[in-house]
Amino acid sequence: MANFLYNVLFKRSSTFTVTILVGCFIFERGLDVITDKIFEQVNQGKLWKHIKHQYET
Amino acid sequence: MNVVAKSTSLAPLLKSTTVISNGLQPVIGTGVVLKSKIVAKPGVSRLVSESLQETLITGSLRVSSGIGASLLATQRRLAHTDVQWPDFTDYRHNAVKDPTTKSKESAASRKSFTYIVTATTGVTTLYGVKTIVHDLVSSLSASADVLALAKIEVKLENIPEGKNAVFKWRGKPLFVRHRTQKEIDKEAQVSVSSLRDPQTDADRVKKSEWLVVLGVCTHLGCVPIANAGDFGGYYCPCHGSHYDASGRIRKGPAPLNLEVPPHEFVEGDILIVG
């Protein structure tokens, strides 16, 4: 695992930069999804999507 | 005769000044003879390989003689048998403790952790910078709902001819004046060269029967009175500025014409300001 990471991703500056950029993209998506989940959990029953079925047929 | 033996490899380091010709004037002829001083280095405690190398005499030897030479005389006798070496084994990675192994083979296990820490820092920093830049740029271009709040609509059919209506626009009074044909003709004939702030009437109005100006006197910001003053337009009661029916300053202390805000006429006699 360490060998693979080092030889493929870290050894060259070019691949290291690409690793950081791709990692940033994944990190942002992940953070957005997780924080949205937490927000919905805290506001359970208050959001439109939770009470939509009462008003729409 | 005294003899000083000295390493010439130290000479560029010991030189205090370097003289470079600029091509126009010769370097020599200043009356000062530039000669590098011979300075003996202080003794080095030989603990690690770097300091041991410093004490070695390398390069070609230079021999000089003179009166002061005996004061600077140094001689180094290197007894290698009593050199003390510190032990760095505790600080070394296990993979490179054996001097016969190749360090390249263990590079991944030694360097991966540092690279992972660097990459993690880079990822979080890049994310933060991206968020800040995104917020800044998005605040520069206001969205349509924000822009809509900064506009007002005026129904023009409610304003009779010859009357001046006042509205509130972005916290300031806005004058919308329905001008009579007589006023339009009068303002069109005014010679621009006689004005303090030269502007033709056609530059200030989009439809000649409607004058749209901000009701803020350009002198000190009072609200002028409509249909008053010597020129039949506006009169500022604070310090007596007279504006004509095109909102141009004609008499009094104000320096500029009344400001015309961006406005447009849409179908069905509706004026949109903003």
Side-chain angles (χ1 to χ4, degrees), chain A residues 2-3 6 10 21 24 28 31, chain B residues 108 111-112 115 126-127 130:
Chain A
N3 262 316
Y6 178 73
F10 299 155
L21 290 173
C24 188
E28 187 181 2
L31 194 73
Chain B
K111 297 178 184 174
S112 284
Y115 276 120
L126 196 63
Y127 172 71
K130 182 248 161 193

Side-chain angles (χ1 to χ4, degrees), chain B residues 19-70:
Chain B
V19 179
I20 298 163
S21 171
N22 63 358
L24 295 170
Q25 286 177 312
V27 174
I28 52 159
T30 53
V32 181
V33 178
L34 292 159
K35 197 177 173 186
S36 61
K37 265 186 170 180
I38 298 171
V39 179
K41 277 197 77 180
V44 180
S45 61
R46 301 186 289 275
L47 279 176
V48 289
S49 59
E50 280 80 9
S51 55
L52 184 69
Q53 287 229 300
E54 274 184 61
T55 62
L56 292 174
I57 294 173
T58 55
S60 57
L61 289 174
R62 194 174 69 183
V63 176
S64 64
S65 62
I67 298 162
S70 65

Side-chain angles (χ1 to χ4, degrees), chain A residues 15-31, chain B residues 119-120 122-124 126-127:
Chain A
T15 53
F16 191 56
T17 314
V18 172
T19 307
I20 289 176
L21 290 173
V22 173
C24 188
F25 184 77
I26 296 164
F27 174 73
E28 187 181 2
R29 282 298 304 144
L31 194 73
Chain B
T120 313
V123 164
T124 46
L126 196 63
Y127 172 71

Side-chain angles (χ1 to χ4, degrees), chain B residues 141-158:
Chain B
S141 60
S143 55
D145 61 331
V146 174
L147 286 178
L149 288 175
K151 290 186 177 188
I152 59 163
E153 276 183 24
V154 175
K155 273 190 182 169
L156 294 175
E157 58 193 12
N158 296 338

Side-chain angles (χ1 to χ4, degrees), chain B:
Chain B
M1 197 189 210
N2 297 311
V3 173
V4 170
K6 181 186 161 295
S7 164
T8 52
S9 65
L10 290 172
L13 300 172
L14 299 171
K15 233 181 195 175
S16 58
T17 54
T18 310
V19 179
I20 298 163
S21 171
N22 63 358
L24 295 170
Q25 286 177 312
V27 174
I28 52 159
T30 53
V32 181
V33 178
L34 292 159
K35 197 177 173 186
S36 61
K37 265 186 170 180
I38 298 171
V39 179
K41 277 197 77 180
V44 180
S45 61
R46 301 186 289 275
L47 279 176
V48 289
S49 59
E50 280 80 9
S51 55
L52 184 69
Q53 287 229 300
E54 274 184 61
T55 62
L56 292 174
I57 294 173
T58 55
S60 57
L61 289 174
R62 194 174 69 183
V63 176
S64 64
S65 62
I67 298 162
S70 65
L71 300 169
L72 303 164
T74 53
Q75 188 178 22
R76 294 202 175 111
R77 287 190 176 190
L78 302 173
H80 295 288
T81 50
D82 61 350
V83 171
Q84 290 181 334
W85 290 87
D87 186 12
F88 287 122
T89 318
D90 287 346
Y91 303 100
R92 288 175 183 273
H93 277 276
N94 284 325
V96 287
K97 271 179 182 166
D98 182 4
T100 57
T101 55
K102 283 188 176 175
S103 65
K104 200 181 171 185
E105 286 162 6
S106 60
S109 63
R110 283 182 291 121
K111 297 178 184 174
S112 284
F113 176 71
T114 315
Y115 276 120
I116 287 169
V117 170
T118 313
T120 313
T121 315
V123 164
T124 46
T125 311
L126 196 63
Y127 172 71
V129 168
K130 182 248 161 193
T131 310
I132 290 168
V133 169
H134 185 268
D135 286 357
L136 281 178
V137 171
S138 62
S139 76
L140 290 179
S141 60
S143 55
D145 61 331
V146 174
L147 286 178
L149 288 175
K151 290 186 177 188
I152 59 163
E153 276 183 24
V154 175
K155 273 190 182 169
L156 294 175
E157 58 193 12
N158 296 338
I159 305 168
E161 197 172 300
K163 290 285 179 187
N164 182 77
V166 185
F167 301 91
K168 192 180 168 187
W169 176 70
R170 296 187 189 174
K172 293 187 281 273
L174 177 82
F175 290 164
V176 180
R177 187 188 182 93
H178 195 168
R179 299 196 294 186
T180 58
Q181 193 57 47
K182 205 177 130 196
E183 281 174 330
I184 295 167
D185 294 341
K186 200 175 101 190
E187 299 310 332
Q189 281 162 8
V190 171
S191 151
V192 173
S193 57
S194 69
L195 296 170
R196 182 177 301 166
D197 184 6
Q199 264 185 319
T200 61
D201 186 52
D203 288 342
R204 295 176 54 78
V205 294
K206 286 192 175 166
K207 270 186 182 177
S208 57
E209 61 263 38
W210 296 102
L211 173 71
V212 182
V213 288
L214 285 185
V216 177
C217 179
T218 53
H219 179 225
L220 287 172
C222 294
V223 180
I225 298 164
N227 291 327
D230 295 355
F231 297 88
Y234 301 93
Y235 171 71
C236 180
C238 292
H239 301 97
S241 293
H242 298 258
Y243 299 90
D244 62 20
S246 185
R248 295 178 292 195
I249 180 65
R250 301 295 285 272
K251 191 177 160 190
L256 296 170
N257 300 335
L258 291 177
E259 190 186 338
V260 179
H263 61 280
E264 58 179 342
F265 296 91
V266 293
E267 285 176 51
D269 271 358
I270 286 175
L271 167 71
I272 292 176
V273 183

